[in-house]
Amino acid sequence: MNIHIINGPNLNLLGVRQPEIYGHETLGDIEKKMRQIFEQKNVALHFFQSNSEGAIIDALHAARYAHNADAVVINPGAYTHYSIAIRDAVAAIQIPVIEVHISNIHAREPFREHSVVAAACRGRIEGLGWNGYRLAVEYLLDALQPNN
Ligand code: CA2
């Protein structure tokens, strides 16, 4: 199994500011924890972060067409709320994509409530901190079993 985990703008600052919203883990800490948790599980995890919309779209295309990924976990950051281009890329790659948000986007400013990406995704996990990434990969490992 080959799963790509894509993080969008400002998520490279995790752990540096606003820990009450986003927790104390840096993106590097999250990657390390994920690699430890899944190292025995027959899954290759590929991590990517960019602050640029186009680079995220390229990473979605590459996941499917260059790296033959089985699925993607994406936290599009603030692009969640307005990037039709990222939504179109999610829809275009035709593999399962899970949207993850570290914070509960329904318990914050009203402009964060709506995701334009969500409808193109298999599902969404939000408000559970970095564990959202872990739960998304656990779901995919189960859902993508040949007999499911
Ligand atoms: O809760 C999430 O995971 C978000 O995708 C995070 C985005 C935000 O725009 C979305 O509405 C919800 C922002 C990430 C910003 O991360 C920071 C981390 C530390 C310091 C400042 C920003």
Side-chain angles (χ1 to χ4, degrees):
M1 196 83 71
N2 174 6
I3 298 177
H4 284 222
I5 299 173
I6 297 174
N7 280 286
N10 296 308
L11 287 156
N12 54 314
L13 298 179
L14 281 180
V16 177
R17 291 176 51 199
Q18 297 186 278
E20 68 286 1
I21 298 176
Y22 298 117
H24 291 278
E25 291 80 13
T26 66
L27 203 52
D29 294 336
I30 295 171
E31 178 172 344
K32 202 167 154 193
K33 283 173 189 275
M34 293 284 286
R35 291 199 185 285
Q36 280 168 357
I37 291 165
F38 291 105
E39 67 179 345
Q40 312 285 358
K41 294 274 179 78
N42 199 27
V43 57
L45 297 178
H46 179 281
F47 290 82
F48 175 82
Q49 187 275 333
S50 178
N51 296 319
S52 305
E53 187 178 25
I56 293 167
I57 293 164
D58 288 342
L60 285 162
H61 294 175
R64 169 72 177 80
Y65 297 108
H67 303 292
N68 209 19
D70 298 292
V72 169
V73 175
I74 187 167
N75 182 345
Y79 288 136
T80 302
H81 313 299
Y82 65 93
S83 176
I84 307 297
I86 290 178
R87 176 206 176 110
D88 286 348
V90 167
I93 61 174
Q94 295 187 311
I95 54 175
V97 177
I98 309 296
E99 183 181 325
V100 167
H101 296 288
I102 293 168
S103 65
N104 177 350
I105 60 175
H106 287 86
R108 302 183 62 192
E109 302 96 328
F111 63 81
R112 293 189 202 276
E113 278 182 27
H114 185 62
S115 167
V116 300
V117 178
C121 292
R122 169 81 62 100
R124 174 167 65 185
I125 298 169
E126 65 174 87
L128 304 182
W130 74 268
N131 273 295
Y133 298 97
R134 175 177 67 80
L135 294 166
V137 171
E138 281 180 2
Y139 162 77
L140 288 165
L141 290 180
D142 184 57
L144 300 181
Q145 287 301 315
N147 294 331
N148 278 352

